Amino acid sequence: MALKTEPFVLNIGPVHPSTHGVFRMRATLDGEVIIDMEPVFGYLHRGIEKLAEERTYTGVIPLTDRLDYLASMSNNLAYVLAVEKLAGIPVPERAEYLRVILAELQRIASHLIAVGAFLNDCGAFFTPFLYMFREREKIVDLFEMVSGQRLLYNYMRIGGFTQDIPDEFLPALDKFVRQMPGFIDEYDRLLAENEILLARAKGVGILPKELAINICASGPVLRGSGVNWDIRKVDPYSIYDRFEFDIPTGSAGDCYDRYRVRVQEMRQSLRIIEQAMKQLPSGAVRSEVPHLIHPPAGEAYAHIEAPKGELGFYLVSDNSIAPYRCHIRAPSLMNLTALREMMLGWKIQDAIIIFGSIDITMGEVDR
Amino acid sequence: MTLALSGQEVVAKLEQQFPGSVIESSENNLLVKSESIFDVAEYLKSSPELDFDYLNYIAAVDYYNYFELVYQFTSMKHNHSLVLKTRCYDRENPAVPSVVRLWQGADFQEREIYDLMGISFEGHPNLKRILLWQGFEGHPLRKDYL
Amino acid sequence: MIPSPGLSLEHYWQTLPPDWPGGFWWHWLVFTVIIIAFILMLVMGYIWIERRGMGRMQARLGPNRAGPFGLLQPVADAVKVLTKEDLVPANADKIVHWLAPVVAFAPALMIFAVVPFQDGALLADLNIGILYVVAISSVSTVGIFMAGWGSNNKYSLLGAMRNVAAVVSYEIPLILAIIGVVLIAGSLSLNDIVLAQNIPFILLQPLGFLLFFIAGCAEINRSPFDLMEADSELVAGFHIEYSGMKFALFYLVEYAEALAISAIITTLFLGGWRGPALPPWLWFLLKVILVFFVMVWTRTTFPRVRIDQLMALAWKFLLPLALINLIITAIQVLAWSEALLWVMIPVNIAIMVILVLLWSKLSKLGWGRVEV
């Protein structure tokens, strides 16, 4: 006698402790198994692209902070690179090195949150999350020394920076860089071979390699699926071709691989910061740039390897003080495309973990 | 370094395959007719020496007389990229063939362009508003919206 | 024997007859009230231990404002929860919704009627003590299922279903582990089990202790098995729609059951109130708090398992091990006399290590993806 069952629709989000922002998943469930899923977002749409058309080129920089609010320095960097490409503004050496140091520190901070939140979704009740935040506090203190802000820095400018770094920044950075690898090792010892984590995350939410390339994923999502594609190596921007670092890749494309890729990327970022600190020259931090920038008419696209993936800005200028069109290529939006395929057949608990392992920030998805 | 292919290099092959589709080719980009976007994109993806298997972004710009759609493709194997543009002169109901069947990553981006600019994509399986709610009137990113 | 004013307390204490307060119903009333008050105080202590202990393990301080070392934090929590508005969802089943916390809370208190705090100091010295405990503890699940159903909310229904499935599955290894202890002690009465522990049973039954601890954690919804009320997935599971005093009762249920399981573990495996220098009830308290501390430790450290992994753990891992444990214990009790009891210690520990390692290699947890 077969039991008659009926699938029901469950709304996960938009207000939910684990949806990393306001994201809604309309899941059709058969018992606990997801048989259909539809992502709904747009709850954080603020019209940044339209607002950018009404501000000066420098005035757009605070808007870009709020895209991926957990990695503001990277957003700033992508935007100022695009404007400098459009207007042909050179950047002094010291500013380039400082940009690399700040971008890599930001990558470590963002990955700490990503990994902590992923383990929180797995159910480890804030313990790894709080350990990650303890280290992130040190990075945020460094950023506060430099820009005065803890989250939305608004520090990079077109042509460099407005102010040089304070004297106490480099010794504090040195201390951090020497302590951090030991912490990552301790954290690896606690969690990398944990039976329950392996049972929850290994083989769950597999994104096959061809699908990853087809949905134009980028960042740890793409590299976790085995594709060796990192913008810092294939299309180096700023001065990344002067540093030696490896690109960690996964093999299976499951949640565990994405998590491992992020942990190892943190180590590689520390390597880059060490090299940059040694080579840091002295000099000006900003080239001569007028207050109101009038780039010549034209267009430019600049992309960087942000912590979440390939963040790009496509700018069109018509020789006025504001961009004519500013289009933002958001990595989180592209990485979300295959969410439905990754989730079908798994249970709700896995759905939360799969969503957490892609690591999106709704500020980018919705703009 | 990703080599940015200039439009002229690709023009000759395209003219052979799809005569009349290229409107103009310059150093930075390639402008094609809007009806032939899908065929040109398919050729660019499947031809072995071009092999563009990664779509970086699709952007839509509103120049007052026309809408311009900008596509950038990258080839992972050869590490080169190309910018493809197309124009749409209809203000009331602009329509362009969709490339979702070639690159699934175009799915959300085309929906967003439909939502904010009003350009509809023929052949898209699920062309609904994505960032704004169903029932919203108007297309905010157009220059004549506010 | 009503106390008359004017006598000092100590004089009064010495003039009490041995069977004070005399009479069956007085005895029942006074000691019931004393035990319930004591349990509630201890539950508040547990809440403090958990929050402060977990806070310190997570590199933060834990509550330290309400009273010295945050000791009055549970009191502050209780006052806050009592003054909240009692919301009932619109389409909820009113009677079921109202009764659920009561049905869930009462069994957790009733278990303490048979737990020995000192030699002979039990509310009711039943000679089927442990059977009574097992029977009563399953009734809580009915309360939780009523809560899940009566809330008219899909999340709470999911949480309640998971809970029922898990509790039913974990009863069996729990009971089999208990039977191992009963075989060695020779009696179902909890007082006799404590009296029979010249060597604590944790050494004689290491596998049984492990099974009981894991199954006990799963029964009371503690991490790593707390997917019934998983904060990050189901937004509080079966008690989503509860507020005010009813939520306070569910909150208390969780800690009262943790207290009950720790008390049973202490009685069955750690030797109850037995110990050298200190008074027996202090030993009992110390052991109970130690067991709870280990539970807090596991909660802070481990992620959560998935529901199908939970069920696979119960049926494929714990149940066969429990059966093997039972058979080996039975053979040992029959074959060896009382004098050779200490030989069982290394033998059983070796068996436990081998079995656990072997079984964990052989069994695969959960079945992963379902074809849609």
Side-chain angles (χ1 to χ4, degrees):
Chain A
M1 179 180 70
L3 207 58
K4 175 177 171 293
T5 58
E6 196 180 291
F8 67 98
V9 175
L10 183 69
N11 224 348
I12 306 181
V15 181
H16 191 275
S18 262
T19 52
H20 292 259
V22 273
F23 182 78
R24 180 172 151 213
M25 295 188 265
R26 288 189 81 237
T28 310
L29 298 170
D30 177 18
E32 289 241 355
V33 176
I34 295 186
I35 52 179
D36 193 13
M37 200 279 296
E38 184 194 334
V40 178
F41 43 87
Y43 293 94
L44 200 51
H45 178 65
R46 295 154 290 180
I48 288 187
E49 295 186 355
K50 183 115 183 141
L51 283 174
E53 294 172 12
E54 297 167 16
R55 277 155 214 259
T56 63
Y57 280 92
T58 314
V60 176
I61 297 180
L63 283 180
T64 61
D65 271 338
R66 281 135 178 94
L67 279 176
D68 174 7
Y69 37 80
L70 298 171
S72 297
M73 288 284 188
S74 307
N75 303 350
N76 288 353
L77 179 62
Y79 175 71
V80 300
L81 281 177
V83 177
E84 284 158 12
K85 195 164 162 184
L86 187 61
I89 299 175
V91 181
E93 282 285 303
R94 186 174 166 88
E96 297 263 37
Y97 275 94
L98 281 177
R99 278 182 180 176
V100 167
I101 291 178
L102 291 172
E104 292 305 314
L105 270 180
Q106 184 67 82
R107 186 186 312 276
I108 298 176
S110 174
H111 281 327
L112 281 173
I113 299 187
V115 163
F118 170 68
L119 284 162
N120 198 26
D121 291 340
C122 285
F125 205 73
F126 289 110
T127 308
F129 191 71
L130 286 170
Y131 286 172
M132 305 294 126
F133 262 64
R134 195 178 51 183
E135 302 306 313
R136 185 174 174 263
E137 274 303 302
K138 300 179 189 159
I139 299 182
V140 160
D141 283 341
L142 286 170
F143 282 146
E144 193 182 4
M145 259 184 238
V146 152
S147 70
Q149 292 274 4
R150 281 170 56 94
L151 192 69
L152 302 168
Y153 311 113
N154 188 14
Y155 186 53
M156 302 206 185
R157 296 282 182 273
I158 300 166
F161 304 98
T162 39
Q163 289 176 335
D164 204 348
I165 52 174
D167 295 324
E168 55 266 16
F169 180 74
L170 281 174
L173 181 64
D174 191 42
K175 185 167 154 204
F176 172 75
V177 165
R178 266 181 290 117
Q179 278 176 350
M180 188 70 180
F183 171 73
I184 301 184
D185 289 333
E186 175 190 330
Y187 164 75
D188 251 354
R189 245 191 359 249
L190 275 176
L191 279 163
E193 299 293 324
N194 188 337
E195 285 284 329
I196 302 184
L197 181 66
L198 286 175
R200 280 309 287 281
K202 229 179 173 36
V204 173
I206 294 185
L207 184 64
K209 192 164 157 175
E210 296 74 30
L211 186 61
I213 299 180
N214 204 357
I215 63 168
C216 312
S218 51
V221 174
L222 184 65
R223 290 195 282 279
S225 296
V227 181
N228 194 348
W229 183 258
D230 186 332
I231 311 270
R232 295 175 288 173
K233 287 276 197 197
V234 299
D235 190 9
Y237 51 95
S238 186
I239 46 166
Y240 272 97
D241 41 4
R242 300 188 202 174
F243 301 114
E244 256 182 54
F245 57 99
D246 302 318
I247 308 291
T249 49
S251 50
D254 54 13
C255 296
Y256 188 70
D257 272 345
R258 291 191 275 273
Y259 152 79
R260 293 299 296 160
V261 161
R262 288 197 179 101
V263 171
Q264 290 176 33
E265 274 188 10
M266 284 201 272
R267 283 194 224 263
Q268 299 300 320
S269 291
L270 285 170
R271 258 174 93 180
I272 299 178
I273 297 179
E274 271 173 6
Q275 295 169 43
M277 270 199 313
K278 284 202 203 81
Q279 302 172 17
L280 183 66
S282 57
V285 287
R286 193 171 193 194
S287 56
E288 292 295 319
V289 174
H291 276 286
L292 278 183
I293 300 176
H294 279 265
E299 59 192 30
Y301 175 70
H303 56 180
I304 69 161
E305 180 76 21
K308 309 269 187 306
E310 174 190 338
L311 174 66
F313 276 82
Y314 172 70
L315 283 173
V316 176
S317 131
D318 59 349
N319 202 19
S320 70
I321 57 172
Y324 186 80
R325 172 84 168 98
C326 169
H327 174 73
I328 303 163
R329 191 260 190 214
S332 304
L333 182 67
M334 310 293 255
N335 292 349
L336 271 188
T337 315
L339 193 65
R340 187 174 171 275
E341 278 85 21
M342 281 161 70
M343 271 198 199
L344 285 185
W346 294 101
K347 305 189 174 46
I348 303 180
Q349 296 180 272
D350 302 312
I352 308 275
I353 286 195
I354 295 171
F355 183 70
S357 77
I358 301 183
D359 183 33
I360 67 165
T361 307
M362 289 318 288
E364 262 184 341
V365 174
D366 290 338
R367 276 161 281 142
Chain B
M1 248 354 251
T2 303
L3 180 67
L5 290 180
S6 82
Q8 283 112 356
E9 289 173 28
V10 189
V11 143
K13 298 194 192 90
L14 275 182
E15 279 291 317
Q16 229 177 353
Q17 293 274 331
F18 307 102
S21 56
V22 176
I23 301 182
E24 118 189 29
S25 72
S26 76
E27 199 184 300
N28 297 326
N29 55 53
L30 191 65
L31 185 61
V32 293
K33 286 213 187 73
S34 61
E35 301 86 34
S36 49
I37 267 280
F38 183 76
D39 301 315
V40 170
E42 192 175 11
Y43 174 70
L44 288 174
K45 181 173 179 195
S46 53
S47 106
E49 62 273 4
L50 293 175
D51 192 25
F52 286 114
D53 52 357
Y54 192 83
L55 170 71
N56 284 80
Y57 65 91
I58 310 178
V61 192
D62 181 2
Y63 299 103
Y64 295 88
N65 303 331
Y66 54 88
F67 291 113
E68 185 166 271
L69 279 175
V70 184
Y71 297 71
Q72 174 163 337
F73 309 115
T74 306
S75 161
M76 288 197 165
K77 205 167 92 193
H78 305 288
N79 202 8
H80 54 224
S81 69
L82 178 71
V83 176
L84 193 70
K85 289 192 180 183
T86 183
R87 289 188 184 157
C88 205
Y89 289 89
D90 184 0
R91 265 328 271 194
E92 297 304 313
N93 284 322
V96 164
S98 153
V99 295
V100 159
R101 269 177 292 146
L102 299 170
W103 296 279
Q104 208 181 331
D107 186 355
F108 285 169
Q109 303 201 77
E110 291 185 346
R111 277 177 71 181
E112 182 193 332
I113 295 177
Y114 165 68
D115 186 5
L116 297 176
M117 278 283 198
I119 304 176
S120 34
F121 289 86
E122 299 146 1
H124 193 283
N126 188 18
L127 198 67
K128 290 194 302 199
R129 282 188 181 266
I130 191 173
L131 291 179
L132 299 168
W133 59 95
Q134 312 289 334
F136 188 87
E137 302 258 338
H139 299 281
L141 214 50
R142 291 191 179 186
K143 289 287 181 183
D144 52 5
Y145 181 73
L146 262 181
Chain C
M1 289 296 299
I2 315 292
S4 62
L7 284 174
S8 75
L9 197 59
E10 188 162 329
H11 181 235
Y12 178 66
W13 196 254
Q14 280 158 359
T15 57
L16 287 176
D19 63 336
W20 181 84
F24 178 74
W25 293 109
W26 277 117
H27 180 98
W28 171 81
L29 182 66
V30 171
F31 282 107
T32 308
V33 168
I34 290 180
I35 284 193
I36 292 183
F38 177 68
I39 301 302
L40 290 177
M41 297 299 301
L42 209 55
V43 163
M44 292 215 161
Y46 264 29
I47 297 177
W48 181 83
I49 292 175
E50 163 138 55
R51 290 186 62 172
R52 191 90 184 160
M54 232 166 55
R56 299 300 312 198
M57 284 190 231
Q58 287 174 350
R60 60 184 173 97
L61 284 176
N64 61 352
R65 297 269 174 210
F69 294 109
L71 279 167
L72 293 180
Q73 181 70 36
V75 176
D77 279 342
V79 170
K80 172 201 84 167
V81 153
L82 280 173
T83 53
K84 285 210 173 178
E85 181 187 350
D86 189 16
L87 296 164
V88 178
N91 289 335
D93 195 338
K94 298 271 185 305
I95 300 182
V96 170
H97 187 88
W98 185 84
L99 265 182
V102 177
V103 172
F105 189 53
L109 283 182
M110 284 161 75
I111 292 182
F112 288 97
V114 289
V115 167
F117 294 91
Q118 199 168 324
D119 187 6
L122 306 150
L123 186 54
D125 192 359
L126 298 177
N127 55 358
I128 52 157
I130 197 68
L131 187 62
Y132 164 82
V133 166
V134 164
I136 286 292
S137 68
S138 318
V139 177
S140 288
T141 316
V142 177
I144 292 177
F145 191 58
M146 286 164 71
W149 170 257
S151 299
N152 190 32
N153 185 335
K154 286 173 194 153
Y155 280 122
S156 61
L157 191 62
L158 271 176
M161 295 292 219
R162 286 183 185 174
N163 196 358
V164 167
V167 166
V168 163
S169 314
Y170 277 90
E171 284 288 330
I172 303 183
L174 195 80
I175 296 173
L176 291 176
I178 293 177
I179 296 183
V181 166
V182 165
L183 278 178
I184 301 183
S187 156
L188 283 172
S189 156
L190 282 172
N191 205 18
D192 290 345
I193 291 180
V194 175
L195 285 171
Q197 287 190 46
N198 293 317
I199 311 174
F201 285 163
I202 184 174
L203 293 172
L204 292 177
Q205 286 272 289
L207 188 56
F209 171 74
L210 200 65
L211 292 171
F212 192 93
F213 190 76
I214 297 178
C217 278
E219 293 262 316
I220 58 179
N221 307 348
R222 278 202 69 94
S223 211
F225 308 111
D226 65 346
L227 40 91
M228 284 64 105
E229 43 162 49
D231 293 318
S232 62
E233 294 151 19
L234 294 182
V235 202
F238 59 88
H239 53 77
I240 289 179
E241 298 282 353
Y242 281 90
S243 59
M245 189 61 199
K246 297 185 200 155
F247 176 73
L249 276 181
F250 274 120
Y251 198 58
L252 282 179
V253 161
E254 183 178 335
Y255 289 100
E257 287 199 336
L259 180 59
I261 292 281
S262 348
I264 301 293
I265 289 182
T266 313
T267 316
L268 290 179
F269 292 99
L270 292 178
W273 42 260
R274 296 174 77 120
L278 301 165
W281 51 269
L282 192 60
W283 268 119
F284 182 78
L285 268 180
L286 283 175
K287 289 180 194 177
V288 160
I289 291 179
L290 176 69
V291 172
F292 184 64
F293 182 72
V294 175
M295 284 188 190
V296 169
W297 200 355
T298 53
R299 180 181 189 191
T300 321
T301 317
F302 293 121
R304 202 176 282 139
V305 299
R306 208 169 58 205
I307 181 70
D308 57 326
Q309 291 167 348
L310 182 79
M311 306 294 277
L313 188 71
W315 292 101
K316 293 195 211 166
F317 188 79
L318 292 182
L319 178 62
L321 284 184
L323 285 173
I324 295 177
N325 181 38
L326 184 61
I327 295 175
I328 291 181
T329 310
I331 294 176
Q332 285 171 341
V333 164
L334 278 180
W336 292 338
S337 70
E338 283 288 323
L340 287 179
L341 217 53
W342 63 269
V343 177
M344 283 168 75
I345 302 179
V347 170
N348 276 351
I349 293 182
I351 292 178
M352 169 185 92
V353 169
I354 294 174
L355 272 180
V356 167
L357 286 175
L358 195 72
W359 223 269
S360 58
K361 290 276 179 293
L362 290 179
S363 67
K364 174 170 131 35
L365 285 186
W367 56 83
R369 194 185 166 169
V370 173
E371 276 310 310
V372 173

